[in-house]
Amino acid sequence: MAYLLKGVSILGAAPTDLAIVDGVISDKAPDDAQVIDATGLVALPGLVDVHTHLREPGREDAETVETGSRAAALGGYTAVCSMANTSPVADTAGVVEQVWRLGREAGLVDVQPIGAVTIGLAGKQLAELGAMADSAANVRIFSDDGFCVADPRLMRRALEYVKAFDGVIAQHAEEPRLTEGAQMHEGEVSTRLGLTGWPAVAEEAIIARDVLLAEHVGSRLHVCHVSTAGSVEVLRQAKARGVRVTAEVTPHHLLLTDELAAGYDPVFKVNPPLRTRNDVEALRQALLDGVIDVVATDHAPHAVQDKECEWSYARPGMLGLETALPIVLSVFGEKWDLIADRMSIAPARIAGLTGHGGDLSAGTPANITLVDPSARWVVDPAELASRSRNTPYAGMNLPGRIVATFLRGEATVLDGKAVK
Ligand SMILES: [Zn+2]
């Protein structure tokens, strides 16, 4: 199928026509192309998420590769990197190939598996990183996300190992000895509520250590879900020295604060926890400055019984794929170049995903997101495509609807609805 997007604004520029033919962007559409009136719509390179939990294999009651892929496409994504904390853990070539194959079968986004750093995420022994890199899944990002690779010797060896194939270690920065029993951000609110705190320094200490290790080894480090102003300062200094470090921030850490814990609604429980207004401001500035490279969703679907319970028993994590772009739009406004870079171009570069994060010029793969920035919508958890319902944005009125998403020229979303 060929398409002609009539009157579309590419990254906010003056309206033009954009044709999609045989999977690539073209100067000219054939006569039988399906015409889409794109007046008032903005075209972006298809969004890329470097941090998604798809839960399959093992927790298909919370999400599957297919339902998560559909949520991603509806959120404007054309590629997602799926985290390794499945059951079994994605720590072998067999499991990463299984996830990769399920993603191709669903055919809604490119699912790029992330491999575990250590066997079983146990933090004791390196997983077979080379075998996962050489597999059909072509793994380049490795992460024990959910857990920190706390052992500095193991972290050093992992960084050394992935250097051979330009891989990257994505660290969930949390010094576990400093967060034992933690329920929320350590600060005024946790003191008032009498909940055990997760101190900012538990994140900052690991990032500081890891940028030194990455610098020493000359390898690539990626820092997952940066959440504190202090972490931003550590990253700013490391980048100024030329350390090969990249970092992500989640939409929820760009918007929400620890005050929300006061209602004890576990939908606001997440790891790292929601921080203070001061942290939120520092993270926003860091994304604008480029100290933080990308917005990543940390989409973390959970089954009802794991979320609708007492705060202390609830699993940490929030849905993110279907609301990420609207949240970023609501925080930063229509800064399309910033959005394209932080949500598509930079994440594709970090993940090594060729064909994604392009510039929408003729001849490039037609991975495209079409957004209506003027449309507002109210988030209704029951209407989300994710199998889970744990969105912290329920009832919020957000700007920006995804009208269409194209994966290599095939529409995965049209008129705001999933095609399959
Ligand atoms: Zn994490």
Side-chain angles (χ1 to χ4, degrees):
M1 173 69 83
Y3 294 94
L4 178 62
L5 313 183
K6 273 202 89 64
V8 71
S9 163
I10 298 175
L11 297 178
T16 182
D17 293 347
L18 193 155
I20 300 172
V21 184
D22 295 331
V24 297
I25 293 168
S26 172
D27 291 329
K28 201 176 169 333
D31 292 341
D32 62 349
Q34 183 178 336
V35 177
I36 295 174
D37 178 7
T39 310
L41 306 185
V42 175
L44 299 170
L47 305 184
V48 176
D49 190 15
V50 294
H51 191 149
T52 306
H53 296 275
L54 293 177
R55 302 298 187 215
E56 188 177 7
R59 284 309 299 266
E60 291 83 353
D61 58 329
E63 197 78 286
T64 66
V65 171
E66 188 188 337
T67 60
S69 292
R70 191 168 294 113
L74 285 163
Y77 287 87
T78 52
V80 300
C81 300
S82 60
M83 273 297 173
N85 63 338
T86 48
S87 178
V89 170
D91 58 3
T92 64
V95 180
V96 293
E97 283 184 351
Q98 179 194 357
V99 173
W100 181 82
R101 200 173 327 105
L102 287 167
R104 290 303 177 278
E105 282 166 17
L108 292 157
V109 290
D110 284 346
V111 173
Q112 176 56 48
I114 292 173
V117 178
T118 69
I119 296 172
L121 310 175
K124 300 287 185 219
Q125 252 182 299
L126 278 193
E128 291 179 4
L129 310 184
M132 290 188 272
D134 290 342
S135 74
N138 197 24
V139 176
R140 285 296 175 275
I141 304 180
F142 297 87
S143 182
D144 275 3
D145 182 57
F147 300 99
C148 182
V149 180
D151 179 345
R153 184 157 163 265
L154 208 53
M155 186 62 182
R156 174 190 175 164
R157 284 182 52 213
L159 287 163
E160 283 170 344
Y161 201 107
V162 300
K163 216 180 144 181
F165 43 84
D166 200 31
V168 58
I169 303 294
Q171 176 74 293
H172 170 115
E174 174 181 359
E175 168 48 57
R177 292 283 287 153
L178 292 173
T179 61
E180 281 173 20
Q183 292 293 329
M184 65 172 295
H185 170 66
E186 180 182 293
E188 273 173 51
V189 183
S190 66
T191 304
R192 196 171 80 224
L193 300 178
L195 292 176
T196 306
W198 196 130
V201 70
E203 175 174 301
E204 295 152 7
I206 291 292
I207 299 175
R209 180 201 78 175
D210 285 353
V211 294
L212 291 172
L213 285 173
E215 186 172 27
H216 179 68
V217 170
S219 191
R220 287 173 64 204
L221 169 72
H222 177 74
V223 183
C224 296
H225 40 52
V226 171
S227 70
T228 81
S231 296
V232 168
E233 282 319 303
V234 173
L235 288 166
R236 195 183 301 279
Q237 292 168 22
K239 286 194 160 189
R241 288 203 308 279
V243 180
R244 300 174 75 199
V245 58
T246 54
E248 69 188 39
V249 62
T250 67
H252 48 271
H253 288 113
L254 288 168
L255 184 70
L256 309 176
T257 69
D258 62 341
E259 288 287 348
L260 289 161
Y264 295 104
D265 182 344
V267 81
F268 299 113
K269 184 173 173 179
V270 64
N271 191 18
L274 300 176
R275 305 288 186 184
T276 66
R277 178 54 50 194
N278 179 51
D279 294 306
V280 168
E281 292 302 330
L283 295 168
R284 290 178 178 186
Q285 192 56 48
L287 192 74
L288 289 169
D289 294 346
V291 170
I292 292 178
D293 303 81
V294 303
V295 175
T297 68
D298 194 4
H299 177 79
H302 284 300
V304 169
Q305 70 271 20
D306 292 327
K307 219 44 189 166
E308 292 181 9
C309 55
E310 216 180 288
W311 179 279
S312 60
Y313 296 115
R315 301 245 180 131
M318 303 171 164
L319 300 184
L321 287 169
E322 293 170 78
T323 46
L325 182 62
I327 296 294
V328 170
L329 269 173
S330 75
V331 170
F332 295 101
E334 296 183 31
K335 290 190 166 62
W336 298 112
D337 288 323
L338 176 87
I339 290 170
D341 184 73
R342 307 298 195 265
M343 297 186 77
S344 176
I345 299 166
R349 188 169 60 230
I350 290 167
L353 293 172
T354 51
H356 293 276
D359 60 2
L360 303 186
S361 62
T364 61
N367 294 314
I368 304 171
T369 298
L370 205 53
V371 192
D372 182 353
S374 64
R376 298 194 70 96
W377 59 295
V378 176
V379 181
D380 177 355
E383 284 182 4
L384 298 176
S386 171
R387 186 160 279 183
S388 292
R389 295 287 168 261
N390 53 305
T391 174
Y393 311 114
M396 258 190 213
N397 187 310
L398 297 176
R401 285 235 73 162
I402 305 300
V403 175
T405 309
F406 298 90
L407 176 63
R408 282 182 290 278
E410 297 293 327
T412 55
V413 173
L414 271 182
D415 293 328
K417 295 184 179 64
V419 169
K420 59 178 179 180

